[in-house]
Amino acid sequence: MHMKETTDYSPMQRYVLVALRILVGWHILYEGFSKLLIPNWSSIGFLNESKWLLSGVSKWIVSNPGVLNAVDFLNTWGLIAIGLGLILGLFTKPAAISGAILLFVYYLNNPPLIGLEYTVPTEGSYLIISKTLIEAMALVVLAVFPSGLFAGLDIFVHQYRNRNK
Amino acid sequence: MGKKEVITNSENKNDMTQQSTIKRRTLLKALIGIPVLGVFAFELFKKYTYDQEKRNRVIKELGLDNMKAPVIVKGSSAKSDLLRIGLIGYGNRAVSHANGLGYMHPEDVEAGKKNDTLKDWLAQEDLNVAITGICDA
């Protein structure tokens, strides 16, 4: 399959995808910074609430302080790196894929399935599908389109790689 | 200078202008995220200042200025200060409290071994607490 040229997309398609990328990037970047700015922030509360498939892994993380610290660190800085990548359009594809995986892991920790009760109230009404899952899917969409080449620093990366071919 | 040459020169000039316009457009497109990051940084600073002011206002109003915020205990390797606790009266309630803090009477340990509840109790995190004294008549 040939890689489509960026000009194969209509201007509207390009604008919309870049806008989506920046909006999701903004949200993820702020999620990262908000954790960084809260003194002693930890994912322990979220992990303790974990239900369903990943509850065992979450309990293991919580019971190992070293692992918990590593998870907290990677989560915060991972969110910041993904957010920066999406806003700047730099390494957009890896950023979008990592973001989608991270959000999907969040989703698997507290999916709104029938019968799962959470002590922390959610801000919306969900049945199986939550906004986290939708945002993860939005990142999958961004991963399959070269939005970094429409507008973003990936243009320079692309030029640099072509020059060195 | 012939007419043809003049046309070629002007075409070259047009080409160059077009190329520089494309380059400028590409550059602008590549750097689209920078102003967004600028706005983000500005808003982040505004939000942080707002949150800090709000927090300080609430703390002051509640008279908690001199109190330290509680720190989440992340388990045994958390390097927090040892919390020393003394118990006045050691009834049933105190036994439960002591168990919760990580202390158990040797007889209860044996009982726990027999009915297989000791393992669960041992799985609790170390709260870094020391019972320094019990006053019971």
Side-chain angles (χ1 to χ4, degrees):
Chain A
M1 200 171 75
H2 289 288
M3 175 109 176
K4 272 186 155 186
E5 290 293 324
T6 54
T7 44
D8 289 344
Y9 300 93
S10 74
M12 185 55 91
Q13 287 173 327
R14 282 181 272 167
Y15 294 147
V16 169
L17 283 169
V18 171
L20 177 68
R21 193 191 77 210
I22 289 175
L23 294 181
V24 176
W26 182 293
H27 173 224
I28 291 184
L29 185 61
Y30 184 64
E31 281 285 357
F33 269 113
S34 66
K35 287 163 182 56
L36 194 68
L37 295 175
I38 296 170
N40 300 312
W41 175 85
S42 173
S43 58
I44 192 166
F46 176 80
L47 292 170
N48 274 331
E49 271 286 291
S50 176
K51 302 264 157 69
W52 208 45
L53 287 178
L54 294 182
S55 61
V57 181
S58 300
K59 279 194 182 77
W60 174 74
I61 294 171
V62 171
S63 62
N64 287 282
V67 180
L68 181 63
N69 280 331
V71 166
D72 286 349
F73 179 85
L74 288 174
N75 185 46
T76 305
W77 287 101
L79 285 167
I80 290 173
I82 293 165
L84 282 175
L86 291 172
I87 290 181
L88 292 170
L90 181 66
F91 306 119
T92 313
K93 202 171 188 169
I97 293 171
S98 332
I101 293 170
L102 191 61
L103 288 177
F104 193 57
V105 170
Y106 293 163
Y107 170 79
L108 288 180
N109 269 296
N110 63 351
L113 304 181
I114 301 164
L116 296 186
E117 304 285 343
Y118 300 98
T119 51
V120 182
T122 51
E123 94 287 22
S125 307
Y126 303 124
L127 177 65
I128 304 171
I129 310 298
S130 67
K131 283 181 198 165
T132 311
L133 187 63
I134 296 167
E135 198 172 20
M137 197 60 210
L139 282 167
V140 173
V141 170
L142 288 169
V144 296
F145 287 99
S147 74
L149 295 179
F150 300 158
L153 291 173
D154 275 346
I155 293 173
F156 291 148
V157 176
H158 187 66
Q159 281 177 354
Y160 178 78
R161 277 181 186 157
N162 277 352
R163 214 179 298 145
N164 288 336
K165 257 182 191 172
Chain B
M1 204 168 13
K3 202 178 174 184
K4 209 176 172 184
E5 235 177 293
V6 175
I7 290 171
T8 320
N9 275 346
S10 89
E11 268 174 4
N12 276 348
K13 214 174 174 183
N14 268 347
D15 266 5
M16 274 171 68
T17 330
Q18 217 177 344
Q19 231 178 2
S20 80
T21 316
I22 290 170
K23 268 192 181 166
R24 201 167 54 232
R25 282 192 65 190
T26 310
L27 189 71
L28 286 173
K29 279 199 283 184
L31 299 178
I32 192 175
I34 307 288
V36 178
L37 268 190
V39 176
F40 179 87
F42 175 72
E43 292 296 329
L44 181 69
F45 177 72
K46 231 165 76 175
K47 172 95 171 103
Y48 180 70
T49 319
Y50 172 81
D51 286 348
Q52 285 297 105
E53 274 173 9
K54 192 171 125 186
R55 186 175 162 269
N56 291 342
R57 220 172 34 239
V58 173
I59 286 176
K60 216 170 176 185
E61 211 170 294
L62 295 174
L64 302 171
D65 310 39
N66 298 322
M67 250 174 96
K68 277 189 179 169
V71 177
I72 295 169
V73 178
K74 283 187 180 178
S76 51
S77 81
K79 286 187 179 62
S80 59
D81 291 338
L82 181 72
L83 186 66
R84 295 169 208 279
I85 288 181
L87 297 169
I88 301 172
Y90 202 77
N92 285 338
R93 196 78 172 156
V95 172
S96 303
H97 284 324
N99 286 347
L101 294 172
Y103 291 87
M104 195 182 271
H105 192 275
E107 279 175 15
D108 293 337
V109 172
E110 289 306 314
K113 270 183 196 168
K114 275 178 196 153
N115 61 24
D116 209 26
T117 55
L118 190 70
K119 218 193 257 172
D120 283 343
W121 182 73
L122 287 172
Q124 290 181 101
E125 62 183 330
D126 182 356
L127 296 175
N128 202 18
V129 168
I131 294 182
T132 47
I134 295 174
C135 169
D136 196 41

